[in-house]
Amino acid sequence: MLIVMNPHATPQQLEAVCERVQALGFRAHVVGGARCTAIGVTGNSGEVSPAPFEELPGVSEVVRVTRPYKLVSREFHPDNTVLRFPNSATIGGRELAVIAGPCSVESREQIFTIAEHLVSRGVRFLRGGAFKPRTSPYSFQGLGEEGLKLLAEVRDRFGLLIVTEAMDESSLRLVERYADVIQVGSRNMQNYSLLKLVGRSRKPVLLKRGMSATLEEYLLAAEYILNEGNFEVLFCERGVRTFTDHSRNTMDLSVIPAVQQVSHLPIIADPSHGTGRRDRVLPLSRAAVAVGADGLIIEVHNAPDQALSDGAQSLSLPEFDRLLEEIRQIAPVVQRSVSSDVTANAAVAR
Ligand code: PEP
Ligand code: MN
């Protein structure tokens, strides 16, 4: 249920409504929209009667939210959510978010070489895993905190915002300290205790779609995060499992408009994991931008053939340049732009 306050409601009236919600044993989530403030009510197992709220001073209307997910839905928040960052980058606004970097942080030389290249092309976000969810326990598992420290150095030097994965509670405690965006990987999309923990974090969360998750399961996974108080969530389509054997996964591009129709949260595309093949990343990136994705996350490596993880799907630096050039041309067709401002990151660099 959603309690919409009238535009002239006072802070005291808002507070009184929240207290009434809590007194009935529910949770109150205050959201400020462009036009007015609303209070989302969750924690109810059945239908909540609007009667105790309708007559309170300052209340304009009480709206039933018909979807199983509440806080992520557009019924709750009709305007798009735009995530805002210190280097003036946004996710979910007009500018496409381009997140690029290696699958894993491997060494100082590797991450600095890649970061220097990306920043010279106007990229604002650097990806790089320090804790890696690998299929085999014998594969490279990431550098752990040492990798996070290298990412922090890169942030200080170049002003790139850091996107990196937390796999569990202990890695989250570390990742939270170093990252600008916490990634929750596909395999953890339904790890509800991790979702609750990132929901209590103050950092934005990039929530990857589980490889066999339906739209509703995906939205409800995000609902866990919002329900704990963190409204800064970003969806990411990274391919789903199908019978296909010509690529690692099948990019479900149609989920992008499907998410945008029912949710106010941004959604980006990951054609690297979505295809698993370097030669497919550019075509699927074009398509993702054309379909209306709010951004891309792309694996890029200075020596892809020597990469310690996901080399086969990593673009070389010149291949990444070409991708950027192409999406810069496609973006205006869908009323988007791609930053080429190489000075914007200075605000984050120290
Ligand atoms: C990754 O981003 O490197 C990764 C492991 O992604 P996913 O969780 O989508 O497999
Ligand atoms: Mn990867």
Side-chain angles (χ1 to χ4, degrees), residues 58-260:
V59 171
S60 154
E61 58 174 328
V62 179
V63 185
R64 264 192 70 212
V65 178
T66 52
R67 314 257 184 195
Y69 40 88
K70 311 280 176 199
L71 305 174
V72 307
S73 79
R74 274 201 192 274
E75 289 175 320
F76 175 66
H77 189 291
D79 302 325
N80 289 343
T81 287
V82 181
L83 309 184
R84 294 178 193 283
F85 295 88
N87 62 356
S88 81
T90 55
I91 305 180
R94 189 176 196 282
E95 193 175 296
L96 283 180
V98 177
I99 305 172
C103 179
S104 305
V105 182
E106 298 169 6
S107 67
R108 171 177 274 100
E109 198 209 336
Q110 174 238 24
I111 199 71
F112 270 73
T113 306
I114 298 168
E116 187 167 18
H117 184 88
L118 296 176
V119 85
S120 74
R121 303 301 193 263
V123 171
R124 310 283 183 82
F125 297 91
L126 177 73
R127 61 149 292 144
F131 297 93
K132 296 303 304 176
R134 302 305 302 280
T135 303
S136 163
Y138 308 120
S139 302
F140 176 60
Q141 303 283 306
L143 295 180
E145 189 170 11
E146 188 194 333
L148 296 177
K149 286 185 175 154
L150 291 172
L151 289 170
E153 278 185 44
V154 167
R155 186 183 198 273
D156 287 352
R157 169 88 177 77
F158 299 108
L160 286 161
L161 297 163
I162 303 301
V163 181
T164 192
E165 177 162 357
M167 283 185 15
D168 49 28
E169 181 164 9
S170 62
S171 55
L172 174 63
R173 294 297 158 237
L174 291 168
V175 163
E176 242 184 336
R177 253 191 260 153
Y178 296 93
D180 295 285
V181 177
I182 302 165
Q183 179 172 322
V184 173
S186 253
R187 293 156 188 81
N188 269 323
M189 190 207 83
Q190 287 179 312
N191 179 343
Y192 298 117
S193 48
L194 184 62
L195 296 178
K196 285 185 191 171
L197 289 171
V198 294
R200 288 177 217 134
S201 169
R202 312 289 299 255
K203 296 273 171 86
V205 178
L206 188 169
L207 178 63
K208 288 196 148 191
R209 182 181 180 189
M211 50 192 91
S212 64
T214 64
L215 174 61
E216 192 168 297
E217 287 164 347
Y218 194 19
L219 294 163
L220 284 168
E223 186 80 12
Y224 268 88
I225 303 174
L226 273 71
N227 191 39
E228 294 298 322
N230 189 349
F231 280 68
E232 303 223 286
V233 173
L234 161 66
F235 288 112
C236 176
E237 162 58 26
R238 48 78 73 207
V240 291
R241 275 281 169 91
T242 66
F243 52 84
T244 285
D245 58 5
H246 64 80
S247 66
R248 180 176 176 183
N249 290 297
T250 299
M251 285 290 282
D252 177 15
L253 289 177
S254 72
V255 85
I256 292 170
V259 165
Q260 289 167 334

